[in-house]
Each structure stands twice: as C-alpha cells, then as structure tokens.
C-alpha cells in the first residue's frame, strides 16, 4: 500500500460517526440512497460549526445523513432540505425523528430542485449543500451562490466523481461538469475555494464580500 492510500485509509477509519447518523446511513444503504462518507460528513459539520450556521439549504436529502451531519455541527440551525424522491424524504423524516431533531429545525420539500430554488430568497442562508443530480451540478451551485449570504459557503460532495475527474481521458458530461466547476471556481475572485480529497471529495466555496 502506497503512502497516499495509507493516508486515505487512516483518515477514513479515524472518523467516528455519531450513532444516530450511523443508523441513518444503514437505512440509506438499504434504499440505495448513497450517503456521503463519514469523512465528508465530519468536514461539513466542522464548516457548519465554524460558520455558526443558522439557516442551511440542502439540495438532495437522500436518507438524511448529510443533513444530520450539518445539524450535528450546528444544532441551532434550521435545515431546509429538497428532494424529488418521496421515499427518501420519508426515511429522512424518520431518521430526524429518531435523532430527536426538533420539528421546527427541519423543513422537508418534495420537488425538483430546479423548480424550488428559484423561489427561495437570495442572500438568506449560511450554507447550501449540493448533493443532487450530477448533471445539474453547475446550475445548482449557481443557485447556491445566489442563496448564501456574503461569507456564506456552498458545499459540493462527490465532486471527484469516483476518480473520474482526475482522469484526463474521461470526458463524459458529468465528469466534464465537475471538472469545469472545480477549475472555474478555483480561478474565480468571487469565492474562496478549497478542494478536499477525503472520502469522495468535497468542494468548498465561500463567497467574498464586496464593497
């Protein structure tokens, strides 16, 4: 095993996931909802905590794993989570109930993000997490950057697409979209961007306040 692989493995095994999130992860796997990894979840929790986030939007509820990680970092926050799969939302609701998340702290919206996001108030949120249809990732990030306040953060897990983004031969639409997103945001003066390679990857984009 190479040094890099050893580091990946150690980082993955070092993350301790809270029991209520582990239970939600098991349910996610049962219904094929593909949860984010514990390492990425822990990073999201740290960002939520450091941001002292009070208003969070999540695009792609899944079975509730990522939302629970965000609220683990900022338990006073209110989470608005959007998904077009009623089954996923039902499982996520139960996961939040089991985790004793107050009902007022979680708002579940059934619908397509492309239709819901334009109706949401801009510059009103501290964090937007984008974990939905990869084909629409650029559009969702654009909405996310509109929705967050100055100094707010957009988080994009799975951005390395299972290693495809790093492979110059891969030029399918999803890989190209992720690659373009990373390159364009890294070069942008409107955001401070960082790319983490822990787990499946996490792109972090914090907006820069303008005078």
């Amino acid at each position: 095993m190479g040094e890099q692989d050893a580091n990946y493995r150690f980082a993955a095994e070092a993350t301790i996931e809270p029991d209520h999130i582990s239970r939600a992860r098991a349910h996610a796997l049962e219904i094929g909802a593909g949860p984010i990894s514990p390492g990425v979840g822990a990073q999201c929790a740290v960002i939520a905590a450091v941001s002292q986030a009070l208003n969070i939007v999540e695009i792609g509820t899944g079975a509730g794993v990522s939302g629970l990680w965000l609220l683990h970092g900022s338990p006073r926050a209110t989470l608005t989570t959007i998904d077009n799969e009623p089954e996923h939302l039902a499982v996520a609701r139960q996961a939040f109930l089991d985790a004793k998340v107050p009902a007022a702290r979680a708002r579940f919206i059934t619908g397509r993000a492309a239709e819901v996001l334009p109706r949401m108030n801009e510059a009103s949120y501290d964090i937007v997490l984008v974990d939905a249809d990869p084909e629409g990732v650029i559009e969702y990030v654009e909405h996310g950057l509109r929705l967050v306040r100055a100094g707010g953060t957009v988080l994009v897990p799975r951005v390395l697409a299972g290693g495809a983004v790093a492979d110059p031969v891969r030029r399918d639409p999803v890989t190209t979209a992720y690659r373009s997103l990373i390159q364009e945001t890294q070069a942008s003066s409107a955001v401070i961007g960082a790319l983490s390679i822990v787990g499946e990857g996490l792109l972090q984009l914090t907006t820069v306040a303008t005078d």
Side-chain angles (χ1 to χ4, degrees):
M1 180 182 294
E3 179 182 346
Q4 191 172 49
D5 290 338
N7 288 338
Y8 287 150
R9 180 174 178 179
F10 179 82
E13 294 176 351
T15 302
I16 298 175
E17 193 164 53
D19 289 343
H20 67 282
I21 302 181
S22 292
R23 289 193 294 271
R25 177 177 303 282
H27 293 146
L29 294 173
E30 287 174 3
I31 65 171
I36 59 172
S37 67
V40 168
Q43 289 188 33
C44 291
V46 168
I47 293 166
V50 170
S51 303
Q52 299 183 23
L54 294 178
N55 294 292
I56 301 173
V57 174
E58 178 183 45
I59 305 169
T61 309
V65 172
S66 50
L68 289 173
W69 267 116
L70 288 164
L71 292 180
H72 179 66
S74 188
R76 294 175 55 238
T78 298
L79 174 73
T80 299
T81 183
I82 306 163
D83 205 298
N84 65 352
E85 292 286 348
E87 181 188 6
H88 292 182
L89 285 167
V91 173
R93 285 178 187 274
Q94 187 59 51
F96 277 57
L97 183 63
D98 292 344
K100 296 181 171 52
V101 175
R105 295 280 185 225
R107 177 188 179 205
F108 297 87
I109 298 178
T110 305
R112 296 181 63 250
E115 297 172 357
V116 175
L117 294 171
R119 302 197 298 268
M120 302 183 76
N121 294 330
E122 63 181 59
S124 299
Y125 299 90
D126 302 300
I127 293 174
V128 174
L129 184 140
V130 178
D131 188 20
D133 312 317
E135 295 83 359
V137 66
I138 292 178
E139 177 187 357
Y140 296 151
V141 169
E142 289 174 348
H143 278 298
L145 292 172
R146 178 183 64 83
L147 293 178
V148 294
R149 59 173 175 76
T153 299
V154 175
L155 300 172
V156 190
R158 311 181 206 273
V159 74
L160 296 177
V165 169
D167 182 355
V169 176
R170 292 288 297 272
R171 298 189 178 277
D172 58 275
V174 170
T175 301
T176 300
Y178 277 131
R179 191 179 290 133
S180 297
L181 175 65
I182 293 168
Q183 293 171 342
E184 291 174 11
T185 53
Q186 290 295 304
S188 173
S189 60
V191 298
I192 298 171
L195 175 61
S196 168
I197 59 174
V198 169
E200 62 275 27
L202 179 67
L203 182 62
Q204 306 158 58
L205 305 171
T206 297
T207 59
V208 177
T210 57
D211 296 331

